[in-house]
Amino acid sequence: MKFSIIIILFLIISSFCFACVSEINIGIFEFPPLVMKENGKFSGFSIELFDLWAEENQFKLNYYFEDYKNLIELYENKKIDIIANYFQTETGNSHPEKLFEFKEMNFFPITAFKFPSDNISLGKLKSCSSIGILPGFKYEDLFEDLNYSEFSSFSDLTESLIHGKVDAIIVPYIYYEYISCKGFPVIKGSGYFDNYEYGILFENTDLKANFSEFIKQNNDQYNSLQNKWLGETYFPQALTSRELKFLLLLFFLILIILIVFIIIIRIITAKNLNNLRKEINRNTEFNIKASNLLSMALSKEVSEKSFFMKMLDFITDVNKEINKCSISIYKGNKIKFIAQKGYSDMLYEQNIEKGSFIIPDKQIEIKNLAEKNIENNYEWAKDLYRNGFIEIKNSLITPYKYKDEIIGNLTLDKYENKPFSFTTKQNALFLANLSSIYLYLKDQTEKIEKFNVEIRNILLKAIELNSNFTQNHSLNVSILSRKIGEIMHLDSTDINNLELAGMLHDIGKIGISQNIINKPGKLTDEEYDVIKAHVEKGVNILSESYIFKDIVNIVATHHERWDGKGYPYKLKGESIPLLSRILCVADSIEAMLNDRPYRKGMTKDSVLKELCKKSGEQFDPNIIDIVMKNFEEIVEVIGK
């Protein structure tokens, strides 16, 4: 009976106790992702966990949102029953109640710095001007004499770091992801920090026991909340030995495959690069040789045979499949070979009728060309057959034209009975077009040169028409000027310009009165001014033609003197063009050697004395030195 009464009393007291705690006050502070405040509402792992616990036990929960320091004070004054997120060390624990600890969670502090560094150490805290923390989170047992700044919430703490109000902040590990995603370098605590523990502080031991029992009975829900708010990042599953071996094996297998793949890629890349380099070198070589051929085609100094031989050298150099080649040209009803490579010189001796030779109108390949020509009983083919023509198994014939008429063939031959490559065909077409260009330019150049000669002759006759005493004067000056230029080793362009200027240096005398030009006595000042004006008139005449643009300045200055007393510009010394100085000497030599209206021609000795006398005055002394040394050779070219 007494035992039943005791049980009833115990149940009544227990009911009364739990009736007293049916309304529970919980202190919380912002601590993502355990407790977060968004738009005036609370959420997070701890909030959902307490709500589930309250729902099962029909508790009414009152949350007090304060900073950590205030919560400790409220707890000590028994105004709240629970602090949701409590931190302590073994040495700093002043409360006898044992903390409930989340399983395998390390909430030791970490440090985030605002300045990035590759070598961050906790010792750098001492160099910070200010360190942000939450109230009650000072770590005097770890660091002394640090400049702490307290902030009421984790969001304020983070914002202070972002906006540079503090140099570093110290926060629990659970806050790591949020800090690191903002781009700040983060240091995780170790060693001494392991003594920090996280838990829930209960003022009432019965509440603590009830909460612990709730966790045990609702372990699945508890784990679900952990995965929802904390994720496996903070609760890694322990790998078994077998799983670990499998992962290691998989890792090494992937690594080996990756290495093999990289090696294969490098081999392929190196091969492709090597092929690309070869192709670039081939193209570069082709372009250089093609440019040289084009230069030859534009040069009037290259003979027809030399040009076409260079063409054959080019095609065989850049296309190695070619064994023999030739170029033929149609002259009237005959076909002549003008260049060959690989055959004997007897090819040049062949006199072939057009009717006994293949003349295609476009590029074609012909197998066994020699045998087909022999079958047609062509005598020239029989001769060639005995001299290596029989070896040819395939031929590429490319015609070239002049004025839309086919005038010749480029024939490429090889010993293999295989088609010619696309590159060889394109190169053959290029050379056929170049042949047409060369022949056109050659024809036009010959016409232009013939025209120029005729123009010169006409101008010379016009120049000498007024004078009875200057027949062949301009021609002789031209010959003398050229000879002096050759002795001085001038380049071909200067020599040609000097020769032309010598022919036309007196062209301005056209239209001057014969009475002045042929006057036997001394000229008056007015008459001399008329004579001097021939320079300006000559410049005006020559400036009208593009052909004479390179000699205008020579003609304009050929009466200037070394001492600056010449005309029309009073130029002095080396300011006078070199070719003009040479022309001045040649003009004077020719004039002194031949008769004039006012005197007889001078002897060579007299001419030499006059040249020596006027050296450094009228004439360039350097040119006079050369002329004196080579005088006989120079005047010999005009028969003196």
Side-chain angles (χ1 to χ4, degrees):
M1 183 67 179
K2 289 180 179 181
F3 181 72
S4 299
I5 293 171
I6 291 171
I7 292 175
I8 292 170
L9 289 173
F10 176 78
L11 291 172
I12 293 171
I13 293 170
S14 299
S15 299
F16 176 77
C17 291
F18 272 92
C20 291
V21 298
S22 60
E23 187 170 323
I24 301 172
N25 299 321
I26 302 177
I28 58 176
F29 59 93
E30 190 175 4
F31 188 35
L34 303 180
V35 175
M36 295 183 294
K37 186 178 182 181
E38 295 178 343
N39 300 323
K41 295 182 180 180
F42 297 112
S43 62
F45 173 77
S46 297
I47 299 299
E48 287 200 18
L49 188 62
F50 284 129
D51 288 346
L52 286 174
W53 176 48
E55 183 181 350
E56 183 170 303
N57 291 278
Q58 296 183 344
F59 294 149
K60 179 183 178 183
L61 302 180
N62 299 318
Y63 290 110
Y64 289 79
F65 186 73
E66 299 282 350
D67 62 47
Y68 186 74
K69 188 175 182 180
N70 291 340
L71 290 178
I72 295 295
E73 187 176 339
L74 290 172
Y75 181 84
E76 290 176 344
N77 293 330
K78 299 188 181 299
K79 292 185 178 181
I80 57 175
D81 304 303
I82 299 172
I83 295 179
N85 310 316
Y86 179 74
F87 295 85
Q88 72 162 15
T89 64
E90 293 178 359
T91 57
N93 183 15
S94 58
H95 300 279
E97 295 87 352
K98 185 177 180 181
L99 293 175
F100 170 80
E101 296 173 7
F102 288 101
K103 65 179 182 178
E104 299 180 8
M105 292 182 65
N106 294 318
F107 287 92
F108 50 79
I110 63 169
T111 304
F113 292 88
K114 79 172 183 183
F115 47 85
S117 173
D118 295 330
N119 185 22
I120 302 174
S121 65
L122 292 175
K124 285 193 175 181
L125 283 171
K126 294 183 179 181
S127 64
C128 296
S129 60
S130 59
I131 301 168
I133 60 170
L134 291 173
F137 274 74
K138 290 184 179 180
Y139 299 96
E140 287 87 350
D141 51 341
L142 296 179
F143 299 104
E144 298 179 358
D145 302 324
L146 296 181
N147 298 317
Y148 291 114
S149 298
E150 294 187 354
F151 293 88
S152 59
S153 67
F154 275 99
S155 59
D156 291 342
L157 191 62
T158 306
E159 289 299 315
S160 70
L161 182 65
I162 293 172
H163 295 102
K165 294 179 180 179
V166 294
D167 294 330
I169 61 174
I170 301 178
V171 294
Y173 179 78
I174 197 69
Y175 209 52
Y176 166 75
E177 285 294 328
Y178 182 79
I179 297 294
S180 62
C181 75
K182 294 290 184 182
F184 294 102
V186 176
I187 291 183
K188 300 177 184 178
S190 61
Y192 195 91
F193 289 118
D194 290 339
N195 292 326
Y196 280 80
E197 297 175 338
Y198 168 82
I200 300 175
L201 186 61
F202 290 85
E203 195 277 333
N204 186 308
T205 54
D206 290 332
L207 279 178
K208 179 180 180 180
N210 184 277
F211 188 78
S212 297
E213 186 63 27
F214 164 75
I215 294 296
K216 292 178 182 178
Q217 293 179 359
N218 297 276
N219 194 54
D220 290 342
Q221 287 180 296
Y222 177 73
N223 289 334
S224 177
L225 283 178
Q226 284 185 338
N227 289 329
K228 174 182 176 181
W229 289 99
L230 304 175
E232 294 183 357
T233 302
Y234 303 100
F235 300 93
Q237 300 295 320
L239 294 174
T240 64
S241 176
R242 184 176 179 181
E243 290 171 335
L244 185 60
K245 289 180 180 179
F246 174 76
L247 287 177
L248 285 173
L249 181 62
L250 182 62
F251 170 76
F252 282 113
L253 183 60
I254 293 173
L255 183 62
I256 291 170
I257 293 173
L258 183 61
I259 291 172
V260 172
F261 177 75
I262 292 172
I263 292 172
I264 293 172
I265 290 297
R266 289 196 65 178
I267 292 172
I268 294 173
T269 303
K271 184 177 180 181
N272 290 338
L273 283 174
N274 189 44
N275 291 336
L276 182 60
R277 288 191 195 99
K278 290 180 180 178
E279 186 64 28
I280 291 172
N281 290 336
R282 282 195 295 268
N283 290 336
T284 303
E285 180 185 7
F286 178 88
N287 291 334
I288 292 172
K289 292 180 177 179
S291 298
N292 292 336
L293 269 180
L294 285 171
S295 299
M296 290 183 67
L298 298 173
S299 174
K300 63 182 181 180
E301 298 178 359
V302 178
S303 68
E304 184 178 275
K305 185 172 182 179
S306 296
F307 173 73
F308 284 114
M309 283 303 299
K310 286 292 184 182
M311 276 184 52
L312 297 184
D313 289 339
F314 169 79
I315 193 72
T316 53
D317 283 346
V318 298
N319 301 98
K320 302 302 181 182
E321 63 178 325
I322 300 170
N323 300 114
K324 296 183 180 183
C325 51
S326 61
I327 295 178
S328 59
I329 189 168
Y330 310 149
K331 294 185 177 181
N333 198 39
K334 301 290 184 179
I335 297 172
K336 296 291 291 184
F337 287 93
I338 54 177
Q340 61 84 18
K341 193 169 183 181
Y343 293 105
S344 67
D345 288 342
M346 69 174 296
L347 191 64
Y348 297 126
E349 301 169 4
Q350 300 301 315
N351 194 17
I352 306 172
E353 297 286 339
K354 268 191 176 182
S356 61
F357 196 83
I358 296 175
I359 303 177
D361 58 357
K362 62 181 179 179
Q363 189 180 72
I364 61 170
E365 280 190 63
I366 300 178
K367 305 290 185 182
N368 301 315
L369 179 61
E371 294 180 6
K372 291 182 179 179
N373 283 315
I374 290 171
E375 289 173 2
N376 291 328
N377 294 317
Y378 298 149
E379 291 299 324
W380 66 270
K382 294 177 182 178
D383 291 338
L384 291 179
Y385 187 85
R386 290 189 292 270
N387 288 273
F389 205 14
I390 190 175
E391 299 171 325
I392 303 304
K393 300 301 180 185
N394 194 15
S395 300
L396 179 69
I397 303 177
T398 307
Y400 59 92
K401 300 180 180 181
Y402 178 60
K403 294 182 178 179
D404 295 326
E405 182 182 351
I406 297 174
I407 60 168
N409 285 331
L410 166 65
T411 304
L412 308 179
D413 303 308
K414 64 178 183 178
Y415 300 147
E416 290 184 305
N417 191 11
K418 292 181 180 179
F420 285 86
S421 68
F422 174 78
T423 301
T424 299
K425 291 179 179 179
Q426 292 299 112
N427 290 345
L429 290 172
F430 164 74
L431 293 183
N433 290 331
L434 189 58
S435 299
S436 300
I437 293 171
Y438 170 75
L439 292 172
Y440 172 79
L441 291 175
K442 183 183 176 185
D443 184 39
Q444 295 301 311
T445 301
E446 289 175 353
K447 289 180 179 178
I448 290 171
E449 287 182 349
K450 183 178 179 181
F451 175 76
N452 287 340
V453 170
E454 292 174 354
I455 289 293
R456 290 177 196 171
N457 292 335
I458 292 170
L459 290 174
L460 280 173
K461 289 179 181 179
I463 292 169
E464 296 172 351
L465 189 62
N466 280 356
S467 176
N468 297 325
F469 291 92
T470 57
Q471 297 295 321
N472 297 321
H473 168 69
S474 294
L475 180 60
N476 288 339
V477 171
S478 173
I479 296 170
L480 288 170
S481 298
R482 181 179 184 89
K483 186 62 179 179
I484 296 171
E486 289 173 348
I487 291 172
M488 293 177 66
H489 303 293
L490 301 182
D491 63 44
S492 60
T493 300
D494 284 342
I495 290 175
N496 291 334
N497 288 335
L498 193 55
E499 181 182 16
L500 183 58
M503 286 184 182
L504 304 177
H505 73 286
D506 280 340
I507 193 172
K509 290 182 178 179
I510 295 175
I512 294 178
S513 172
Q514 289 185 1
N515 293 331
I516 295 175
I517 293 176
N518 296 318
K519 184 177 180 179
K522 185 178 180 180
L523 298 175
T524 66
D525 290 342
E526 290 79 7
E527 289 171 337
Y528 187 53
D529 287 339
V530 172
I531 290 293
K532 288 196 294 184
H534 84 278
V535 174
E536 183 180 353
K537 289 181 178 179
V539 169
N540 291 336
I541 292 170
L542 296 175
S543 297
E544 294 294 324
S545 174
Y546 178 81
I547 298 174
F548 305 123
K549 68 180 180 65
D550 293 329
I551 68 166
V552 171
N553 195 39
I554 305 172
V555 173
T557 56
H558 79 279
H559 277 297
E560 300 291 342
R561 288 170 55 105
W562 185 258
D563 58 10
K565 296 179 181 179
Y567 64 89
Y569 307 114
K570 304 295 183 183
L571 300 179
K572 184 177 181 180
E574 292 187 356
S575 62
I576 306 168
L578 174 61
L579 301 187
S580 300
R581 285 178 262 154
I582 295 173
L583 179 56
C584 177
V585 174
D587 189 18
S588 299
I589 292 173
E590 205 284 334
M592 287 187 285
L593 287 171
N594 292 286
D595 295 340
R596 287 295 180 264
Y598 48 87
R599 63 160 174 79
K600 289 290 184 181
M602 299 167 60
T603 65
K604 288 190 282 187
D605 289 339
S606 299
V607 171
L608 284 171
K609 288 178 182 178
E610 188 68 18
L611 291 175
C612 186
K613 178 182 176 182
K614 298 293 181 67
S615 176
E617 294 180 4
Q618 182 178 355
F619 307 120
D620 180 344
N622 295 321
I623 296 175
I624 295 301
D625 287 344
I626 294 171
V627 170
M628 298 285 284
K629 293 175 183 177
N630 301 276
F631 188 73
E632 290 294 336
E633 182 183 352
I634 291 171
V635 298
E636 185 182 5
V637 297
I638 58 171
K640 298 291 183 178

